[in-house]
Amino acid sequence: MSNPMDSPDAENKDSTGKELPHNASTQSTTRKESQSRSSMWPLPSISVTRHPSGKFSPQTDERCFSYCSQTTRGRTEGREPTCRSVCFRRVFAHEVRTAIAHDDALKEKAAQKDYGFPLPPEGQPNVDSLSSSKSDDIRYWEEGWYLWTSRSRWATQERLDLMMWDLDHQDHWQRHKDEVQKQWDDYWAEHQRQSGEQFHGTPTTGDNIQLEGTPYPVDGQIFPKQEARHPWQESTLVKLPPPLTPLLEPIHDLLSPSFKVLTTLQRSIESGAHAELAVRMWEKAKTPDPFVLASTVCRKMWEKWKEGPPDSDTTSDL
């Protein structure tokens, strides 16, 4: 009698003799193959994961550290808290290489100079140069590390928001702020002219409008009163490592006389003048002239010692 389990169709039947579905038989076969493979390869496997590069890289490009403190009196009087913030920003190559492609206004200048995204106002040596697109004093983002510090909590909050954007979006946001600031400055100057004010920020007198704490609309938008200092004026942005040329120039100016003396000494030694002087001094020391000079000086000093101090009458005559 033949065993039904020995037939080729036995693998597709369960213990009761019913046929199994095709998927179930396939899963059973796969499970057996995996078990056989695991028994043949007992060593742990090694998997290599390659992260994407470029703008989809998971690398950290900015870290910020911030702390704020407040006093009891400052809280009672409603003062701003004292804040300190430090951020380390790493700019990768792909962020600055595609800078020209995103800005049509800079494509015309690409042949003359490698322009890119300009640094924010806190990173510029001269803020007024940002208003002129042809200025050579404008600094641009470059590949590398940057250090950002601030004492303004408003600048810190803005910095945290800018961490969600790339350099392209940050540049558009800065241009928008500049346009809004220009509109506000123009409106403020016009209002000063109409109210007869001579100094910026001086409250009006008489029947004029009180400006303190009063917002004014510009093109349908509401802008607060002009502050004494902008948040970016309490912030700094420098590239790491900072240039050492300004630090070395004062030291070089201080040591330049010493460099000249050492250069002259080196030239005299190389020419053989010092060796010639040493030979002449040694030859002169072997003659009696030095001893005669020394004895003469000692004899005159002894004579002056024996004469004693000069007379008072002689001193008064002199």
Side-chain angles (χ1 to χ4, degrees):
M1 181 182 295
S2 62
N3 190 356
M5 300 298 294
D6 296 339
S7 62
D9 297 335
E11 295 181 355
N12 297 338
K13 296 181 179 181
D14 57 3
S15 58
T16 59
K18 295 181 180 180
E19 273 195 32
L20 294 173
H22 180 68
N23 295 338
S25 62
T26 305
Q27 292 178 1
S28 176
T29 306
T30 305
R31 191 179 303 109
K32 291 180 180 179
E33 291 179 356
S34 61
Q35 292 177 357
S36 61
R37 289 178 182 177
S38 61
S39 61
M40 294 174 59
W41 190 257
L43 298 178
S45 60
I46 300 176
S47 61
V48 179
T49 303
R50 180 175 296 178
H51 295 288
S53 58
K55 61 181 181 179
F56 296 104
S57 173
Q59 288 183 292
T60 301
D61 63 357
E62 187 169 7
R63 296 183 186 275
C64 292
F65 306 91
S66 178
Y67 72 91
C68 298
S69 62
Q70 180 64 286
T71 61
T72 304
R73 180 175 180 179
R75 190 184 303 275
T76 304
E77 297 177 355
R79 297 180 182 178
E80 291 284 339
T82 302
C83 295
R84 297 292 185 272
S85 301
V86 177
C87 292
F88 296 93
R89 172 74 161 94
R90 183 182 180 183
V91 179
F92 292 95
H94 70 273
E95 298 183 78
V96 293
R97 286 177 183 171
T98 59
I100 300 177
H102 288 283
D103 198 337
D104 296 335
L106 299 177
K107 289 182 179 179
E108 300 177 358
K109 307 175 185 178
Q112 301 177 0
K113 188 176 180 181
D114 187 15
Y115 286 90
F117 298 118
L119 294 177
E122 59 265 27
Q124 299 292 341
N126 184 12
V127 182
D128 297 334
S129 61
L130 290 174
S131 59
S132 176
S133 59
K134 299 181 179 180
S135 177
D136 295 333
D137 296 335
I138 301 179
R139 294 180 180 177
Y140 296 87
W141 287 101
E142 299 177 357
E143 182 181 1
W145 286 92
Y146 286 85
L147 173 65
W148 182 86
T149 60
S150 179
R151 297 180 298 174
S152 171
R153 74 179 183 94
W154 300 108
T156 302
Q157 293 178 0
E158 182 184 25
R159 188 68 190 178
L160 297 179
D161 293 337
L162 293 179
M163 292 177 71
M164 298 185 296
W165 291 347
D166 56 7
L167 297 183
D168 189 10
H169 288 82
Q170 293 181 16
D171 182 59
H172 282 79
W173 169 248
Q174 185 61 45
R175 293 183 184 182
H176 173 71
K177 291 198 306 180
D178 295 340
E179 293 176 0
V180 172
Q181 183 65 37
K182 184 178 182 302
Q183 292 179 3
W184 169 246
D185 292 339
D186 295 342
Y187 173 82
W188 187 263
E190 180 66 19
H191 184 80
Q192 283 183 322
R193 187 185 63 81
Q194 294 179 0
S195 60
E197 292 184 357
Q198 297 180 356
F199 300 96
H200 183 76
T202 304
T204 57
T205 56
D207 298 334
N208 294 327
I209 300 175
Q210 179 67 29
L211 302 179
E212 184 68 28
T214 304
Y216 297 94
V218 178
D219 294 339
Q221 301 182 15
I222 301 298
F223 295 92
K225 182 181 179 298
Q226 180 73 18
E227 298 294 338
R229 289 177 61 87
H230 295 281
W232 62 264
Q233 292 178 325
E234 299 183 0
S235 307
T236 56
L237 179 65
V238 295
K239 195 175 188 303
L240 298 178
L244 299 178
T245 303
L247 301 178
L248 297 179
E249 285 182 356
I251 300 177
H252 184 271
D253 296 340
L254 177 63
L255 299 179
S256 57
S258 302
F259 293 152
K260 294 180 180 179
V261 172
L262 293 176
T263 303
T264 305
L265 179 61
Q266 180 182 2
R267 291 177 180 176
S268 62
I269 293 176
E270 292 176 353
S271 63
H274 280 73
E276 183 181 356
L277 177 61
V279 171
R280 293 175 59 184
M281 291 177 60
W282 177 251
E283 293 178 352
K284 193 68 175 179
K286 293 189 293 184
T287 63
D289 294 342
F291 299 98
V292 173
L293 179 61
S295 61
T296 302
V297 172
C298 292
R299 179 172 51 81
K300 289 187 174 294
M301 290 179 58
W302 179 251
E303 292 176 356
K304 291 294 184 179
W305 180 268
K306 289 192 301 181
E307 291 178 1
D311 298 337
S312 58
D313 298 338
T314 308
T315 306
S316 59
D317 295 341
L318 294 176

